[in-house]
């Protein structure tokens, strides 16, 4: 997947595309893959880097949604549990099982959660990740030795999945490109094109690297821009009523010693009724999340001080070693594009997805979550094909392996998230041993991964590499800052740029990284 080749596909002289997808996050990438694998001609354009918004800032869980079961939304849970299993089957190098323990401090919690989680297992059917059961106090502490013991009665263990969100996204896009899609980052839509009768029939896009504009025609345009969906809709309909009720979720990252386990903690009811997780991820402890309604946000949302305090206070209720603000290695926020329902609490808004067609024919898909990205894409493509009167074609993504598919990727160690691409990265190191140099002692990344990100994964900036192709910024912002000069030098040489670009990128990345360091 090379940007110059993708741009060539995009600008190729042709009749109308079948689909143009706006947005390079999970939903847009899934749509591009679904459409291309059905044999449709599809182009995807993303205004920044792929996954630079919500899709790289998830809780890193592939889950059916235990709390939705408690709310009585059985249909949503069943869909998510099915899709959870499909994700593991199609991308086993990136989706893995994870045990969760719900610690019990009240007498009623074990029977209450035990019954609910057994129902969760039954709904999963053949897609189950493991059998839930009630644990004694001793069994609970054996799984979570750093759990606060005062008042602890035991726990309930159940199984869900976890993944690396931005790495799966890149591999979905690589699969879509292999199926014939044109996917281009740093190519914002600057206008919608309309036919004489007022229907959207294309987009005007701008390549931010060359400054050139292109007009692309399509049978149907799909708006998959998440929290920015209403902004795109208003390019053609300034008076469009909002679909999105955005919510900000915050996550904090600590050293692994704060959890001391390969088992996650689920707190199903915090003091204000929200859910909180503490999970092991890439050798660190990830704690979150909040659910705070917001009305204004930017492309790099920053955690609010109150949200950080809430997570720290809640974690202190359960961990024997309470984390402090100075222990935070990285703090980051993501905007959830929830579908508005007139409720004042985003915790109660729909996590299911909605497909909306404006009067000008622009199709928007909003809501949903990472776990159901494939089903969202299937529904969107089917609806869009009907809207555009395209030939009906069956969806094939239920059994379509994602790029990098490998059933035993763990043997590649720190390169396991690349799946079958790991051997190509190892070949780079064999050919040039200096590329095996570790970029920072606190993180496992090596120079060859930077080269691979630029050559094969369309990375164009330091943020692309350090935040999304590798997860350095997400895991440890200070370490990422220390890695940045060497990474910039490698990128300069790979992209054929100069020292002025290096200095500009370092300045820009420093500004970005400061947003991941909480104010003291």
């Amino acid at each position: 997947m090379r940007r110059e080749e993708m741009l060539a596909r995009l600008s190729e002289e042709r009749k109308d595309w079948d689909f143009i997808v706006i947005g390079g996050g999970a939903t847009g990438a899934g749509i591009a893959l679904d459409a291309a694998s059905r044999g449709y001609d599809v182009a995807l354009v993303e205004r920044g880097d792929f996954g630079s918004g919500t899709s790289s800032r998830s809780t890193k869980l592939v889950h059916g949604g235990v709390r939705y079961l408690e709310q009585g939304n059985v249909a949503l849970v069943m869909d998510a549990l099915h899709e959870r299993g499909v994700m593991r089957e199609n991308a086993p190098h990136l989706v893995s099982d994870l045990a969760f323990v719900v610690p019990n401090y009240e007498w009623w919690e074990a029977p209450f959660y035990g019954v609910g989680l057994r129902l969760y297992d039954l709904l999963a059917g053949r897609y189950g990740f493991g059998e839930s059961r009630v644990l004694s106090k001793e069994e609970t502490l054996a799984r979570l030795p750093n759990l606060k013991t005062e008042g602890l009665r035991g726990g309930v263990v159940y199984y869900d999945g976890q993944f690396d969100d931005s790495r799966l996204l890149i591999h979905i896009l690589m699969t879509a490109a292999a199926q014939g899609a044109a996917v281009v980052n740093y190519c914002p839509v600057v206008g919608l094109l309309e036919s004489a009768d007022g229907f959207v029939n294309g987009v005007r896009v701008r390549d931010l690297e060359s400054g050139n504009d292109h007009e692309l025609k399509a049978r149907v345009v799909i708006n998959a821009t998440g929290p920015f969906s209403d902004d795109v809709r208003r390019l053609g309909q300034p008076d469009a009523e909002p679909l999105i009720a955005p919510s900000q979720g915050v996550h904090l990252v600590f050293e692994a010693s704060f959890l001391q386990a390969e088992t996650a903690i689920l707190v199903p009811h915090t003091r204000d009724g929200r859910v909180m997780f503490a999970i092991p991820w890439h050798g660190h402890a990830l704690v979150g999340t909040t659910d705070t309604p917001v009305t204004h946000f930017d492309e790099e949302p920053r955690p609010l001080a109150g949200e950080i305090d809430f997570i720290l206070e809640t974690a202190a209720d359960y961990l024997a070693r309470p984390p402090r603000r100075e222990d935070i290695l990285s703090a980051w926020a993501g905007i959830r594009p929830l579908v508005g329902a007139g409720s004042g609490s985003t915790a109660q808004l729909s996590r299911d997805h909605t497909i909306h067609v404006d009067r000008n024919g622009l199709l928007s898909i909003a809501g949903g979550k990472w776990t159901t990205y494939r089903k969202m894409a299937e529904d969107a493509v089917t609806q869009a094909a009907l809207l555009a009167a395209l030939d009906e074609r069956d969806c094939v993504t239920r059994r379509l392996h994602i790029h990098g598919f490998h059933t035993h990727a763990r043997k590649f160690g720190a390169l396991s998230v690349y799946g079958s691409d790991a051997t190509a990265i190892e070949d780079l190191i064999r050919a040039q041993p200096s590329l095996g140099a570790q970029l920072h002692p606190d993180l496992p990344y090596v120079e060859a991964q930077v080269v691979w990100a630029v050559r094969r994964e369309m990375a164009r900036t330091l943020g692309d590499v350090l935040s999304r192709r590798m997860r350095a910024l997400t895991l440890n912002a200070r370490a990422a800052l220390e890695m940045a000069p060497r990474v910039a030098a490698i990128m300069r040489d790979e992209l054929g740029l100069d020292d002025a670009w290096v200095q500009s990128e370092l300045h820009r990345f420093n500004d970005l990284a400061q947003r991941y360091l909480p104010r003291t």
Side-chain angles (χ1 to χ4, degrees), residues 415-435:
L415 297 178
S416 64
V417 293
Y418 293 89
S420 58
D421 282 343
T423 54
I425 297 173
E426 291 173 341
D427 287 341
L428 286 175
I429 297 170
R430 276 189 281 271
Q432 188 176 338
S434 63
L435 292 179

Side-chain angles (χ1 to χ4, degrees), residues 399-417:
R399 297 289 180 269
L400 182 62
H401 290 170
I402 299 301
H403 180 94
F405 178 93
H406 199 294
T407 54
H408 298 288
R410 288 186 180 182
K411 71 178 185 178
F412 299 122
L415 297 178
S416 64
V417 293

Side-chain angles (χ1 to χ4, degrees), residues 131-151:
E131 186 176 350
S132 63
R133 67 184 183 90
V134 175
L135 303 175
S136 67
K137 177 179 179 179
E138 291 71 25
E139 290 174 315
T140 301
L141 290 172
R143 287 178 174 270
L144 294 168
N146 204 31
L147 197 63
K148 184 174 284 188
T149 59
E150 182 181 353

Side-chain angles (χ1 to χ4, degrees), residues 7 11 14 40 71-72 84 96 118 179 194 216 226 294 304 333 373 375 386 409 453 457 463 498:
L7 276 172
S11 58
R14 61 160 73 223
Y40 295 123
Q71 294 168 5
R84 181 189 71 170
S96 59
R118 278 193 287 274
Q179 294 287 333
E194 293 186 354
L216 310 174
V294 293
L304 302 174
Y373 88 91
K375 183 63 166 61
L386 181 65
E457 297 179 345
D498 56 21

